[in-house]
Amino acid sequence: MDFSGLDRLFRQLAEEGFLPGAVVLVAREGEVIFQGVYGYLDPEKRLPMREDALFRVYSMTKPWVSALALSLVEEGVLSLLDPVEKYLPEFGALRVGREVGAEVREEPLRAPLTVYELLRHTAGFTYGVFFASAVKRLYLEAGVDRFDLSREAFLKRLAALPLRFQPGEAFEYGLSTDVLGHLLEAATGKSLKDLLKARVFAPLGMRDSGFQAQDPARLAQPFPQDPETGRRIALIPVEAPPPRYAGGMGGVSTASDYLRFLEALRTGKGLLHPRLARLMTEDHLGPLYAEGLKRGPEYLPGPGYGFGLGVAVRLSGAGFSPGSPGEFNWAGFGGTYFFVDPALGLSALYLSQAPNLLSVLEPARALHSRLGARLQHAFRTQVYRAFTA
């Protein structure tokens, strides 16, 4: 296998100042077959990147919490059909906000909001950021996307807002996993931090994963300003305990730790029963997939992908980069990404702290035209290319 293209991609991005640094891992059948360490751990201090660097993984926290929830389902602590209000009674009076232009017209729920809808992001919760709409504007005004809210303040503010869709009506990426994490806390009487440590991290030997960088000297840092726009980059603080355990964005991990988690999902060993691991990583949208495509860029799994219980799932060969049906993946806002192709026994990820690389790379550069518009697609292309070189 020839990983020269993958190595060249990240080396060039680091050398040309598109990303401060990165750690890349590719494994087949559990064996690491490629590891790359690029650029700087701290670009301001010119500290070189290290393979055990800690990264804010943002939305790659979501699969952890989803797997945690399924572990509790496996033990009978909760059911996928449980209503959310059973554990979080403040959500018992939720309404749905129908968007008519700039106006929001509220209507009652047609069916109870369940744990299942939280897991597959069909609950109707959204984010105020990422695209614009009348309901999203209400989320922004309420400040529910903020990281500095307490658990109580977050739940109170969110419960007072309308859902964007009826539960089960549409895939809507948003705060569902944050709600799920706090639901798991209510169901068990334990913090999300302690639940993940006991039920996910400790069993898999993920010693560096959690909601706080235990060794700040290993914490990867972004550029002070975005190299393309010049705007200041400010990532969530993880050097101290957070005001709440945000299951949708609060995690910290290393490449080797996160690979252990991916391998547990791929093999069905060490974390969940194999059937539950498969349940998590197969499509749960069904006919909603076609409706999602009609919404264009708002449908974040993208063409060719449905969604499972916390991860996007490939349905066909269609898409912007290579893949196999059954492959699953997700990304984090801070510049992190993984994909797992069970058909090839393949797990691959990169961790960086460069949120600009989730946007389109500069079209004028040769790198863009040769490797594709987004780093995650270029990454996938080069990983698959290595298997046929």
Side-chain angles (χ1 to χ4, degrees):
M1 284 176 282
D2 179 7
F3 285 99
S4 60
L6 179 62
D7 181 67
R8 185 166 55 251
L9 167 65
F10 280 88
R11 194 169 302 284
Q12 193 168 349
L13 284 169
E15 290 176 353
E16 295 188 4
F18 273 104
L19 82 169
V23 178
V24 181
L25 283 181
V26 181
R28 192 169 194 187
E29 301 298 346
E31 179 183 353
V32 174
I33 54 177
F34 177 82
Q35 178 172 357
V37 180
Y38 306 93
Y40 295 105
L41 179 78
D42 188 324
E44 282 196 286
K45 297 179 180 178
R46 309 288 284 182
L47 296 175
M49 181 57 72
R50 44 193 290 176
E51 64 183 47
D52 63 348
L54 296 161
F55 294 85
R56 306 160 184 85
V57 296
Y58 277 84
S59 286
M60 278 170 49
T61 314
K62 290 180 171 74
W64 291 346
V65 178
S66 300
L68 170 64
L70 288 175
S71 77
L72 293 169
V73 169
E74 182 176 337
E75 292 188 6
V77 175
L78 74 158
S79 165
L80 294 181
L81 298 180
D82 282 345
V84 171
E85 65 185 276
K86 175 181 177 181
Y87 304 100
L88 300 173
E90 54 264 62
F91 289 97
L94 282 173
R95 307 272 292 176
V96 174
R98 289 296 180 191
E99 298 173 334
V100 183
E103 183 182 352
V104 176
R105 299 177 183 175
E106 294 194 3
E107 63 183 43
L109 266 62
R110 296 176 192 156
L113 175 60
T114 64
V115 172
Y116 181 62
E117 307 296 1
L118 294 177
L119 278 160
R120 67 175 189 159
H121 281 265
T122 54
F125 292 115
T126 188
Y127 280 123
V129 294
F130 309 129
F131 310 102
S133 80
V135 170
K136 285 175 173 289
R137 185 183 70 249
L138 297 179
Y139 275 59
L140 282 175
E141 292 171 353
V144 289
D145 291 341
R146 288 168 45 182
F147 183 72
D148 60 351
L149 296 177
S150 68
R151 179 184 187 274
E152 293 71 21
F154 168 77
L155 293 173
K156 181 179 179 180
R157 292 189 191 191
L158 185 60
L161 293 169
L163 301 174
R164 195 177 181 202
F165 295 99
Q166 289 284 348
E169 185 179 40
F171 175 90
E172 179 69 12
Y173 189 57
L175 292 163
S176 288
T177 311
D178 287 64
V179 176
L180 178 63
H182 295 317
L183 182 150
L184 300 181
E185 291 177 322
T188 63
K190 299 178 181 178
S191 72
L192 187 60
K193 169 191 171 183
D194 290 342
L195 286 169
L196 281 170
K197 182 177 180 180
R199 304 180 69 92
V200 178
F201 303 149
L204 297 180
M206 298 168 63
R207 292 185 292 271
D208 286 316
S209 297
F211 287 97
Q212 183 180 348
Q214 296 299 325
D215 183 2
R218 289 193 283 136
L219 182 62
Q221 302 296 344
F223 291 122
Q225 288 87 31
D226 187 298
E228 296 183 71
T229 67
R231 295 174 182 171
R232 178 176 174 270
I233 296 177
L235 300 181
I236 57 175
V238 292
E239 293 86 351
R244 69 179 179 93
Y245 296 115
M249 63 173 177
V252 178
S253 194
T254 63
S256 60
D257 265 17
Y258 211 96
L259 180 63
R260 289 172 182 266
F261 174 72
L262 296 181
E263 283 296 295
L265 294 185
R266 183 185 69 81
T267 62
K269 297 178 181 178
L271 183 58
L272 295 170
H273 185 280
R275 295 291 180 180
L276 278 167
R278 182 179 177 185
L279 182 72
M280 177 175 168
T281 59
E282 62 187 2
D283 177 57
H284 285 259
L285 292 188
L288 294 182
Y289 163 70
E291 293 302 313
L293 289 181
K294 292 178 183 178
R295 297 174 62 199
E298 271 200 70
Y299 180 67
L300 292 182
Y305 285 89
F307 198 80
L309 304 181
V311 292
V313 182
R314 186 127 181 171
L315 303 178
S316 68
F320 297 123
S321 52
S324 307
E327 171 255 303
F328 57 93
N329 71 74
W330 206 241
F333 171 79
T336 61
Y337 178 73
F338 74 81
F339 75 93
V340 176
D341 189 333
L344 290 177
L346 171 66
S347 297
L349 73 153
Y350 66 78
L351 302 182
S352 184
Q353 301 287 235
N356 61 305
L357 287 178
L358 288 181
S359 63
V360 176
L361 296 173
E362 187 179 359
R365 302 189 74 88
L367 187 63
H368 170 273
S369 60
R370 185 172 70 250
L371 295 176
R374 296 177 183 271
L375 176 58
Q376 57 189 251
H377 297 301
F379 171 65
R380 296 170 58 87
T381 298
Q382 293 305 316
V383 170
Y384 279 111
R385 177 178 176 270
F387 282 82
T388 56

